[in-house]
Amino acid sequence: MSPAYDVVVLGGGSAGFGAALAAARAGARTLLLERETMLGGNSTLAGVCCWEPECDGSGAPRQLYERMRRLPNACGIYRYFKHRYFLQGDDAAFPGCELGLDSAMSYSDTEALDWTLPPDLRNPVGGVIFEPAAWDQCARDMLRESGCCAVYDGREVVAVELRDRVITALRTRAGEEFRARYVVDCCGELARLAGCELLQGEDSRAAFGEPDAPEEATGRLNGATRLFRVTPVAMPAVEALPADIPAHCWWAQHFPAMVAAHFPNGDLNCNMLPTMSGAELQELSPLAALAESERRVRCYWHHVQNAWPQLRGYRLLHLYPAMGVRETFRVRCRYMLREQDLLSPPGHPDVIAIAGHGLDRHGARRASGRISGPYGVPYRCLQPLAFDNMFVAGRIAGFSSLAASSCRLSRKMMQLGTAAGAAAALAMRLDVLPAALPIAALREEIKCQGGQ
């Protein structure tokens, strides 16, 4: 007999954690399935362990931060120390942007309502940096304390059972079978296996009527980054390059910029913008992408140490084991968030989260970057067209490619996961299809769980 749950969540990244926590806290018997042995996805395995300024960081993100800050040297609030493009003189002497810790700042300083305006980087607007292991530990503690969530990691789902617009079972590579009334896909594997309509790359202008979209659809994806960590040394030096790696940039016209954030222990978390294009990542096998990205990181680190003497006081400690991916594919949902929703928010009646980051594409065609201010994400963006008992959350949700370049930050993905998990639990409790769920009831549940 297959284990039966109320809600199964696939993928234990930011969205999956938010979904599993919300469903369990709403009283649903919840199972979180994760392919890797560490939760967090991009935030941990890929080292994208900085939360950028965002207009709303309430709910699960704030609660996770409050847990992490109890651990020694686990997290801190950063502000902009140096910036190559927006500051002058010594404050610009950096290969991109340096983020330094500021003990005078609080979590509220990371909820920046003016993030879409031209940045005065001397203002106390910051973000959160955290140790990946602390994220994993605290997330697991919160899920366990819900009393209703089982976490099975090291599970790869390879098949689904379908019947009359309902997903009835999931099967893992090890032969396990899991059943639930509702499923929440936060990694895209379930949507792909179930045959949902998937969108990938830049959409044509005609697809959603977006002013900054190209005339024709392209396969271009937002760039990917291999993040790395460096640690202080007693004797400053430029680390030698391996003999088989050239000192010049062979993968782009010039070396990219870098965001470097200070950890509480003094290390720097380094994010090259980007390490490779999304198209390159798609063309390479996972092992080949890791090998090539390591060569690029070593070349790049040699370059920045030569050009910026302050970085000679560090050595390369390690590369994170996974690529930091900004975009893969998106699922066709009841509503697709578009660039117009960001430039002139229409006031959707079913908004379940507020976002506010600018349009931001790396290594692909750039839009203007500017949006009009905070905008709402509709509940319909979490509902795939094809199935009645399925939700999607995270980067795979109902976004155009341009909208996804804005609505992709980790804390926002966690909040979308919260909405999806809460919706699944409420649909079960009220015995209604997700499309018929009263929005007021869903918003009230999000509020009860600490969301705005």
Side-chain angles (χ1 to χ4, degrees):
M1 184 71 177
S2 302
Y5 295 89
D6 298 321
V7 179
V8 169
V9 178
L10 187 58
S14 295
F17 162 67
L21 185 67
R25 284 177 167 177
R29 295 169 298 166
T30 304
L31 172 65
L32 175 60
L33 295 175
E34 165 56 40
R35 182 178 61 183
E36 307 295 340
T37 55
M38 187 180 203
L39 300 182
N42 261 359
S43 294
T44 56
L45 293 166
V48 190
C49 47
C50 279
W51 288 343
E52 293 186 44
E54 177 57 282
C55 63
D56 172 32
S58 64
R62 177 182 278 272
Q63 294 158 14
L64 181 58
Y65 165 77
E66 293 295 341
R67 297 295 291 258
M68 291 192 291
R69 70 191 293 261
R70 301 176 197 169
L71 303 178
N73 286 331
C75 68
I77 306 297
Y78 68 75
R79 65 176 176 86
Y80 297 91
F81 275 19
K82 295 181 184 291
H83 205 296
R84 179 178 176 182
Y85 302 108
F86 295 115
L87 299 179
Q88 304 293 324
D90 290 343
D91 289 339
F94 204 76
C97 175
E98 181 184 13
L99 307 175
L101 297 174
D102 188 338
S103 60
M105 296 176 68
S106 71
Y107 185 84
S108 295
D109 291 313
T110 75
E111 299 174 293
L113 287 173
D114 62 346
W115 181 239
T116 60
L117 301 176
D120 177 358
L121 297 175
R122 296 182 186 275
N123 285 342
V125 174
V128 179
I129 185 166
F130 50 86
E131 289 286 354
W135 195 110
D136 176 69
Q137 175 187 331
C138 291
R140 289 178 187 270
D141 288 346
M142 292 170 70
L143 292 168
R144 183 181 65 254
E145 291 166 10
S146 73
C148 288
C149 184
V151 178
Y152 290 1
D153 52 25
R155 285 352 194 253
E156 182 181 6
V157 172
V158 296
V160 298
E161 180 181 290
L162 313 172
R163 184 182 304 117
D164 298 330
R165 294 180 58 87
V166 170
I167 296 173
T168 56
L170 312 178
R171 297 188 181 90
T172 69
R173 188 171 297 281
E176 300 162 297
E177 182 176 278
F178 300 100
R179 295 179 178 273
R181 289 187 62 180
Y182 295 93
V183 294
V184 184
D185 185 5
C186 297
C187 66
E189 194 59 28
L190 179 56
R192 187 181 64 80
L193 291 170
C196 290
E197 182 183 352
L198 307 179
L199 306 177
Q200 185 166 330
E202 293 179 309
D203 308 293
S204 70
R205 188 169 302 168
F208 301 109
E210 297 172 305
D212 282 309
E215 285 292 341
E216 302 294 331
T218 78
R220 286 194 291 268
L221 297 172
N222 216 325
T225 294
R226 185 79 182 275
L227 281 86
F228 58 99
R229 183 166 180 159
V230 299
T231 194
V233 294
M235 298 293 292
V238 176
E239 292 188 70
L241 268 175
D244 64 335
I245 299 179
H248 65 275
C249 182
W250 67 86
W251 65 92
Q253 292 182 341
H254 51 76
F255 284 107
M258 178 179 80
V259 176
H262 289 258
F263 280 110
N265 77 343
D267 290 355
L268 288 179
N269 204 55
C270 300
N271 184 344
M272 195 196 319
L273 302 170
T275 308
M276 61 177 56
S277 70
E280 287 180 287
L281 183 62
Q282 292 289 316
E283 291 168 359
L284 296 172
S285 70
L287 288 178
L290 291 177
E292 173 61 15
S293 62
E294 179 171 351
R295 285 169 50 82
R296 296 184 185 187
V297 164
R298 293 187 181 279
C299 173
Y300 183 75
W301 176 238
H302 183 77
H303 158 69
V304 296
Q305 281 198 305
N306 271 308
W308 286 274
Q310 66 266 43
L311 292 172
R312 297 173 193 171
Y314 297 86
R315 67 172 176 84
L316 186 61
L317 182 63
H318 68 248
L319 282 72
Y320 289 93
M323 294 291 298
V325 178
R326 296 178 175 88
E327 181 181 10
T328 52
F329 57 80
R330 295 153 285 122
V331 178
R332 177 76 73 174
C333 289
R334 290 183 60 220
Y335 187 82
M336 301 297 289
L337 193 73
R338 310 164 300 160
E339 184 185 18
Q340 298 93 309
D341 295 312
L342 284 58
L343 299 177
S344 181
H348 292 288
D350 58 338
V351 167
I352 42 74
I354 302 295
H357 193 267
L359 297 163
D360 188 16
R361 296 183 65 78
H362 297 271
R365 182 181 184 275
R366 285 190 175 274
S368 66
R370 296 290 299 277
I371 62 174
S372 63
Y375 61 88
V377 182
Y379 169 56
R380 288 163 292 161
C381 292
L382 311 181
Q383 300 175 60
L385 288 176
F387 297 99
D388 290 333
N389 72 330
M390 178 181 178
F391 298 86
V392 293
R395 294 190 310 272
I396 64 167
F399 308 130
S400 73
S401 180
L402 278 173
S405 76
S406 165
C407 194
R408 62 174 177 81
L409 300 186
S410 296
R411 286 190 284 184
K412 201 53 52 192
M413 299 300 95
M414 200 178 295
Q415 291 173 335
L416 295 186
T418 295
L426 280 176
M428 180 200 66
R429 185 190 309 164
L430 300 177
D431 195 25
V432 297
L433 292 175
L437 187 69
I439 295 302
L442 177 55
R443 286 176 174 158
E444 185 61 29
E445 180 61 38
I446 292 171
K447 182 179 178 181
C448 287
Q449 298 205 19
Q452 294 280 17

